[in-house]
Structure formats: C-alpha cells, structure tokens
Amino acid sequence: MRKIRIAHLTCGSEHSGVQAEIEKAAEQVNAQIVFPEVEIGNVKENANAFGLQVASPDLRLMIARAKSIAKGETKADAVFITTCFRCAEGAIVRNALRDYLHQQSGLPVISYSFTERTSHETLLTRMEALSTTALRRSLLAREEQSGLTAGIDSGSSTTKAVIMRDNKIIGTGWVKSTDVLKSAEEAFSKALAEAGVKREELNGIGTTGYGRFLIGKHYNADLIQEELTVNSKGAVYLAGMQKGPATVIDIGGMDNKAISVQDGIPGSFTMGGICAGASGRFLEQSANRLGVEIGDMGALAVKGDHSRVTMNSYCIVFGTQSLINSLSQGHAREDVAAAACYSVAEQVFEQQLQEIEVKKPVIMVGGSSLNIGLVKAMGDLLKIDIVVPPYSQHIGAVGAALLVSGIRGGKGQDDQ
C-alpha cells in the first residue's frame, strides 16, 4: 500500500507539543505529513486576496498554504487542518479553509481543534478516515452488497452485527458493550441465528467501531475500517441516496460524527464534541432520571415544549444538574425530555455541523436516531425534514458488511 501525503495546515501545533502526536497518528496509517511550501514574500498578499483580514502571521501562512494546495502547487492526497481550540480567530480561518479546499481541490478534508493534551490515539480515527478516503475510493463507491457477508460494529455503548446476502439484510444482533469480545460474540451469534447461516459459510467479515482491531484480529476479518467512512457508506446505502450530496449525522454514546458525502464518498467530516453532554450517554442518563426507557424518551419528548425549560448540555454533569433542578421546580416531564433532546441537538448543530457544509438530504443514524424527540429537535434547528433509514441503529455493521463484499481474497483493492 502506497504512503499517502496529508497536507497539514496549522496555526502552530509544532509549538505546542501536539505535532509529534499528529506525526505518530499519521505513521500508524502509513501516511506522511507534509507542509505546503510558499514564498514568504507572498504570504500577506495571498491572505489578503483570500478575503480574510487576520492578525496572526501563522494564520496568514495557513491561508497561503491552502491556496498552494488549491492551485495544485503542493502534491497531496488529503488535508488536515488544525488550530488551537482556544483561538476564535483560528476557528474562523479553519472553517473557511475547510470549505474552500473541499470545493477547490476535491481532496478529503478534516478539521480539528487541538489542546495541549491531544494524543495520537485521539487522532487515529481521523487519520484512518483520510487514508481510507484517499486510497479506497473505488471500494467506497460500491453501491451493492454481494455474496454472504457479516459486519460487526463494536461501539462504545452497543455492539451490533449484521448478516447480508445479495444486497439484503437477513440477520441482526444488538447488545450492550461490556467485554469487547464477549459482546461481539453475542451480537454476532444472534445475527447468525436470525439469518439461519453458519459462520463458516460467510464469504467475508468486516469490523468497525472502537473495538474494531481487537475483534478484527479475533475473527481474522477481511476488512477492519474506521467508523467515519463505514457509517457514511452505510447511511446513504440504507437511505437509497448513494448518488449526489448528503449529510450524515451520528450522535453516538461517546462522541458525535458529522459527515458531508458526495456520491457515497466522504468529502469533509468531523467527530468529537466539547463534552459527553451532547451524546447518547446524556440521553440515557436523562431517560433514567425521567423514569422511562431510553426507547420511550423520544415519544415523551415530542409531547413537550423545550422552550419552557433551560437545559445545559455542554457538560454532562451540569446537564444532569439542570434536568434534576427542572424536575424539582415542577416542570412537566414532557418538557424536560424535550429540553434534553433539544440541548443535545443544539450542541451538535453549534459544534459538528459548523465544521462541514450541510447539504440535503440530512440522514441521522445510530441508536440515537431511534429517539424521535432528538430527530425532531435536529429537524427544527436545521429547518428541514430529517431522513432516518431502516436499520439505522445497525449502520456501522451494515456499512462493514457492504464494503467487505468488495474485497477479494481478504485484501483491499486500493486505488493507486
């Protein structure tokens, strides 16, 4: 597999100690970090021509380097844009350059706001996604599943498994994630039993999610792939929207993902969040405090009015405190449930969805997409109807089963 070149645009990660972590994450996916070369004397001129008046010379250099990529003067397969999370001016430039490069270069782009504690483990999934998108475009363009394949998604909260045969889902399994291998085995066995097939009959197994490497090694998987590309592929496949633009939103148990897709292939994407207050975990805690099952929380929320309750979801602790205070003040459970859903949707809107270009249709996937209160809140914020495809909670497993059917002999057919 050839080593890809990831052009790095940054406001100064090399001065914060983070650069070594970025380099280490890149090395783990067989990628090389490169810095576009520009004429120092032209930096200010390029920055002014871009239309953003910025005070920082490092940010002006970022802009000049971005123009070098757009003009084809720097050879790159993907772009990684980073700025310090404390810098408001950096965030403005980061977002502007992300949109500019996505439109002008056609390269996969991901942006990230780093802290002094950012580690290569945190960055690995993002680097994997850039590498996969750059090297495996033909595989990601695959539109139909063939043969008999399995996909296993080892997530932070739940583990899912799917069996597919000739473009149809014939078996599913879904269990809570505890021990990674035991949960995978339980979900996998359920899916096989429902499908009525034996694992030795399978033509291929694909794994994704946080536990993908461990379960991939355990099952000798033919495909081990990060969830950004797998989930986006599974989303447009199940929604029947593999042609044209789409936006995929996955509010997970531990982090959130927002992915801009074109013809089934991710273009720009982001994952993370300020705190677990904007995650499925917060919704689980809210449901427990409201005395309902997580599956029933959405139905309760759509009966309420979020504007009657002030909710802070930027921190899971403060969010839970807001919820308890609201209930103790006599607010209706329906209104509190609606406020909890709206606060999660609002943070995803203000954070993840500002990092990508949102294009219709917007597809929500993952277990949280079954919460109709959360789907309604996201639709209200975006002022559009949200698409929730069938089997949306199994999205990663479906994507893995689909993509692994495009691999022959257990080896990926990477683009050269």
Side-chain angles (χ1 to χ4, degrees):
M1 184 184 296
R2 71 180 177 88
K3 180 172 286 192
I4 70 165
R5 291 167 58 88
I6 298 177
H8 187 198
L9 304 181
T10 178
C11 64
S13 56
E14 66 272 24
H15 305 309
S16 65
V18 175
Q19 189 61 39
E21 298 298 312
I22 294 173
E23 300 277 355
K24 189 179 295 185
E27 288 174 7
Q28 287 186 272
V29 299
N30 194 37
Q32 176 187 4
I33 295 294
V34 298
F35 292 93
E37 293 186 6
V38 297
E39 291 289 339
I40 297 299
N42 296 332
V43 168
K44 186 173 182 180
E45 179 184 344
N46 280 325
N48 291 338
F50 188 74
L52 280 179
Q53 300 299 319
V54 295
S56 166
D58 287 327
L59 292 177
R60 289 199 292 268
L61 179 59
M62 276 182 66
I63 294 172
R65 284 174 165 170
K67 291 179 76 67
S68 172
I69 296 170
K71 292 176 181 178
E73 296 171 351
T74 296
K75 183 181 178 182
D77 300 295
V79 184
F80 188 42
I81 307 175
T82 64
T83 60
C84 174
F85 86 106
R86 293 188 179 92
C87 179
E89 186 178 48
I92 293 171
V93 173
R94 185 181 73 238
N95 292 344
L97 292 183
R98 179 203 63 234
D99 294 342
Y100 169 73
L101 285 171
H102 183 52
Q103 294 169 4
Q104 297 295 321
S105 71
L107 297 174
V109 181
I110 192 167
S111 57
Y112 183 71
S113 56
F114 61 82
T115 73
E116 64 275 9
R117 294 183 181 273
T118 294
S119 67
H120 66 277
E121 292 92 350
T122 302
L123 299 167
L124 182 57
T125 297
R126 296 165 175 85
M127 289 295 182
E128 279 187 271
L130 284 174
S131 177
T132 299
T133 306
L135 287 174
R136 289 185 157 182
R137 295 184 72 84
S138 60
L139 180 63
L140 293 176
R142 187 173 182 81
E143 296 184 1
E144 292 188 359
Q145 183 273 346
S146 60
L148 182 63
T149 61
I152 307 174
D153 178 7
S154 177
S156 61
S157 296
T158 58
T159 300
K160 289 77 64 177
V162 159
I163 309 297
M164 296 184 71
R165 175 188 281 135
D166 296 333
N167 218 36
K168 292 183 180 180
I169 297 170
I170 60 174
T172 64
W174 187 15
V175 302
K176 286 192 174 183
S177 294
T178 51
D179 179 279
V180 172
L181 289 178
K182 287 181 180 179
S183 296
E185 183 63 27
E186 185 179 353
F188 192 19
S189 297
K190 285 185 176 183
L192 287 167
E194 185 177 297
V197 301
K198 298 178 180 179
R199 63 183 66 186
E200 55 264 28
E201 298 177 58
L202 295 169
N203 303 129
I205 298 175
T207 64
T208 190
Y210 286 98
R212 62 189 177 280
F213 295 112
L214 184 60
I215 61 174
K217 181 179 180 181
H218 179 74
Y219 290 114
N220 192 26
D222 305 285
L223 174 74
I224 302 173
Q225 194 158 308
E226 38 65 41
E227 54 269 31
L228 282 163
T229 53
V230 171
N231 285 16
S232 60
K233 188 65 205 181
V236 295
Y237 168 79
L238 287 179
M241 298 172 176
Q242 300 201 69
K243 295 297 185 184
T247 302
V248 178
I249 301 173
D250 180 2
I251 301 175
M254 195 160 68
D255 60 34
N256 309 317
K257 305 168 190 70
I259 311 160
S260 178
V261 182
Q262 180 67 41
D263 296 332
I265 299 176
S268 59
F269 32 83
T270 183
M271 66 182 294
I274 292 176
C275 177
S279 68
R281 188 76 70 191
F282 174 66
L283 293 176
E284 285 182 5
Q285 290 196 12
S286 298
N288 289 337
R289 188 63 184 81
L290 289 164
V292 298
E293 295 294 326
I294 183 63
D296 298 325
M297 183 180 175
L300 182 68
V302 295
K303 298 176 184 177
D305 182 350
H306 74 86
S307 66
R308 296 172 181 165
V309 176
T310 300
M311 185 70 65
N312 179 351
S313 72
Y314 282 88
C315 170
I316 196 167
V317 176
F318 293 150
T320 303
Q321 186 179 59
S322 295
L323 185 145
I324 293 172
N325 287 340
S326 298
L327 290 173
S328 67
Q329 292 166 8
H331 288 284
R333 290 165 66 248
E334 293 84 355
D335 294 339
V336 175
C341 290
Y342 191 88
S343 65
V344 171
E346 187 174 41
Q347 185 174 329
V348 173
F349 175 79
E350 292 178 353
Q351 299 298 319
Q352 273 72 46
L353 296 184
Q354 303 308 312
E355 293 285 329
I356 65 168
E357 184 178 2
V358 178
K359 295 182 179 179
K360 297 180 182 179
V362 175
I363 308 167
M364 279 189 70
V365 295
S368 63
S369 66
L370 302 181
N371 184 321
I372 58 176
L374 180 61
V375 174
K376 179 182 181 299
M378 187 61 70
D380 289 347
L381 281 165
L382 292 173
K383 302 187 186 312
I384 60 173
D385 292 329
I386 302 291
V387 176
V388 179
Y391 296 102
S392 63
Q393 72 272 36
H394 296 286
I395 203 72
V398 171
L402 166 66
L403 292 175
V404 77
S405 73
I407 294 179
R408 299 175 182 176
K411 295 182 180 179
Q413 305 301 303
D414 297 336
D415 297 340
Q416 300 299 318

